[in-house]
Amino acid sequence: MPFELPELLYSFDALEPVIDAKTMEIHHDKHHAAYVAKLNDAVAKHPELGSKSVEELLKDLNNIPEDIRTAVKNHGGGHANHSLFWEIMTPKNRKPSTVLSEAINKTFGSLDKLMELITVNGMGQFGSGWSWLVVSGDKLKAYATANQDSPLMNGDIPILGVDVWEHAYYLKYQNKRDEYLKAWWNVVNWDEVAKRFEEAA
Ligand code: MN3
């Protein structure tokens, strides 16, 4: 079964004015679609991989045949990262649940401090990448990755991630990644992040 581009759960303009409709359309229909197509091209060369999920492929990258390992890392990472990204955004932003809030307060001091850390990590990521909140063992951690590298490759479970590739923000924010990251918090779907946290914990 080939990998498929997931449908957005909201319209392209739903996250306006934080993320403009044109950016959403190109990002989902062109960028994400290209990762899916190239991932399918890669796994088609190795039918023995069967029906593994993209998460399973990324967790076990060392056992992926060498001729497609880089493609799975880049395009599988791109597919997994964007699939999460669409779901952890919403026009109906609310604060995190109690369970997640308590874990955030315990690890980072407060939600504001966590948001600041993820923003700083995103600003500090030179070139393209992502800034993440992950469940690592029984801990929460925040860090950035380069390119489309997924936290799954480190054995961690991503529960929130913000795309800091220029394609995610350039049309509206141009070089001002800091303004994009600051505004982005207004569209975070904390209910979905909390759900992922509870599943991972
Ligand atoms: Mn992207």
Side-chain angles (χ1 to χ4, degrees):
M1 183 68 185
F3 294 99
E4 286 177 14
L5 181 67
E7 278 189 38
L8 285 181
L9 304 172
Y10 38 79
S11 59
F12 290 133
D13 64 0
L15 305 181
E16 295 257 17
V18 174
I19 304 181
D20 60 284
K22 194 74 194 163
T23 295
M24 285 300 294
E25 183 180 350
I26 297 170
H27 201 172
H28 179 269
D29 287 8
K30 304 294 182 195
H31 290 277
H32 190 170
Y35 295 124
V36 172
K38 288 176 180 168
L39 175 62
N40 282 330
D41 288 348
V43 297
K45 294 176 187 158
H46 287 277
E48 75 275 15
L49 292 171
S51 55
K52 285 193 176 172
S53 68
V54 67
E55 289 81 11
E56 287 170 320
L57 295 175
L58 291 166
K59 275 183 207 165
D60 200 19
L61 213 50
N62 288 334
N63 285 318
I64 300 295
E66 206 176 341
D67 63 318
I68 63 162
R69 197 177 297 152
T70 301
V72 169
K73 176 176 131 166
N74 290 340
H75 304 299
H79 177 38
N81 294 344
H82 288 86
S83 297
L84 174 141
F85 188 54
W86 312 131
E87 288 194 10
I88 58 109
M89 294 193 291
T90 177
K92 297 177 199 124
N93 170 258
R94 284 197 298 266
K95 288 297 167 206
S97 69
T98 313
V99 177
L100 178 58
S101 288
E102 281 171 4
I104 288 171
N105 292 343
K106 196 171 143 222
T107 306
F108 302 102
S110 67
L111 179 62
D112 283 347
K113 284 190 177 153
L114 168 65
M115 286 160 56
E116 191 185 315
L117 181 59
I118 288 174
T119 303
V120 165
N121 290 346
M123 287 303 294
Q125 177 55 45
F126 182 74
S128 297
W130 292 75
S131 183
W132 302 102
L133 175 64
V134 306
V135 175
S136 180
D138 59 356
K139 293 190 171 66
L140 282 174
K141 286 185 188 168
Y143 58 77
T145 60
N147 306 313
Q148 293 295 353
D149 290 1
S150 163
L152 294 165
M153 290 160 44
N154 306 329
D156 296 335
I157 301 170
I159 61 170
L160 174 148
V162 55
D163 189 342
V164 299
W165 285 56
E166 281 189 346
H167 69 225
Y169 62 87
Y170 202 84
L171 285 184
K172 181 175 165 82
Y173 297 92
Q174 290 84 46
N175 59 316
K176 298 181 282 278
R177 185 188 284 186
D178 55 337
E179 290 187 12
Y180 157 68
L181 284 171
K182 201 171 132 198
W184 184 73
W185 294 109
N186 292 305
V187 295
V188 171
N189 185 350
W190 285 108
D191 291 342
E192 179 64 27
V193 178
K195 190 184 118 204
R196 287 164 184 264
F197 171 68
E198 283 165 38
E199 283 167 3

